[in-house]
Amino acid sequence: MVKAGLEDIVAASSSICDVNGTEGRLIYCGYDISDLADNSTFEEVVYLLWYGRLPTKTELETLTKGLQANRRIPEDVVKAMKAYPKDALPMEVLRTAVSMLSMYDKEAEDKGREPNVRKAIRLTAQIPTIVAYWDLIRNGKEVVAPKEDCSLSHNFLYMLSGGKEPDAVAVRSLDIALILHADHELNASTFAARVAAATETDIYSAITAAIGTLKGPLHGGANQEVIKMLLEIGSLANVEPHLEKMFAEHKKVMGFGHRVYKTTDPRAANLRRMSEALGKQMGDTKWFDMSAKIEEIVKADKGLNANVDFYSASVYYMLGIPTDLYTPIFAISRMSGWAAHVLEQYANNRLIRPRADYTGERNLKYVAIDKR
Ligand code: COA
């Protein structure tokens, strides 16, 4: 019997990330996600995922410099983006622009770990620029050159605001969110990336496939649906009636449920604390209070736990990030995990080619079109 959705099927051996769905634990290369969220930085986590261990000071400096020096995107890509329809979805733009980048990378077709790490550095550095530039372009604003003396999170917020220095709390909050979203074993987009990489196609093709897959509302697109729901609900008092209506209409509550976690998603637990802390800091806990109430009701009524997308929505909203950039921000972070998996796949590759359980007809005889 085929289990729909490859549920519980182990499709690869990997030393990058372990998701323990019964204990609600998530580990990157041996380190608990909460430990990393408390003590690490996104850049350090990128190193960890790509090299399987924490870097020395020099190693981290080298990678950070690489990520800083490669933030600019080719002028032709900026020009092309300026010609896109202004109502194009940020995820459509990201998918298309990333695909375009390969044509401007002389190493695009080069094989081997070294060139692929260099390409992964460029992609990780350039994806935030594409996302921020699209927001500026669609709003008729001038793009600003990326800063090269700061973290990826700092520079992203700087570019997104059109060149204003972000405050330290916003930078650290985004950095923690990026750490928490960086990898998640064989989630749909990472699996898509590995399937592509296993054909020995280039890393740009693999990442383009992953971005298209992340876009779906059952995957990375869920965080945008969560904020839509929060805005629709609008007030704490409206949470209960709104959810009752959703339950009566058998609608899914986005940001809840998970294929692997049957208990609290550890990423959600971290983001929940952040959402509460940010609300308190800003003197308005409305979005956190509403989220907490929704969580309580959905847990009690449906037995479902909040996933990573649920509390990231209120966090990004409080940081003032446009709501349709939530999934692209997920991509900014997950780029690191995709690259880690693509590198791992290339290093020990075999074509991924499963079978289907054929349920169609057999032995039919061709009937000429005028006889049908
Ligand atoms: N709201 C309401 N009911 C939900 C639900 C949700 N968010 N998630 C799952 N369920 C219900 C399903 O309707 C199903 O009920 P049934 O057995 O009565 O038909 C049951 O729980 C099992 O769900 P299923 O869709 O089979 O789980 P899955 O493993 O295939 O899907 C998700 C996992 C994540 C796709 C699913 O939980 C979902 O769609 N969640 C909302 C989208 C989301 O937040 N995605 C981000 C994931 S990180």
Side-chain angles (χ1 to χ4, degrees), residues 45-96:
V45 166
V46 172
Y47 189 99
L48 175 66
L49 293 173
W50 294 357
Y51 294 90
R53 60 173 175 82
L54 288 172
T56 61
K57 215 167 168 240
T58 321
E59 288 166 338
L60 180 58
E61 269 168 23
T62 306
L63 177 67
T64 304
K65 283 203 181 109
L67 289 169
Q68 290 170 336
N70 284 286
R71 287 176 178 159
R72 285 169 194 265
I73 55 176
E75 201 42 52
D76 281 357
V77 176
V78 180
K79 262 195 219 147
M81 287 173 67
K82 285 182 177 166
Y84 294 166
K86 294 288 174 282
D87 60 352
L89 299 175
M91 284 300 280
E92 292 179 293
V93 168
L94 185 59
R95 188 189 59 210
T96 305

Side-chain angles (χ1 to χ4, degrees), residues 16-17 27-31 33 36 45 48-49 179-183:
I16 300 168
C17 175
I27 284 165
Y28 297 163
C29 305
Y31 297 91
I33 189 77
L36 294 170
V45 166
L48 175 66
L49 293 173
I179 292 172
L180 294 171
H181 285 80
D183 196 43

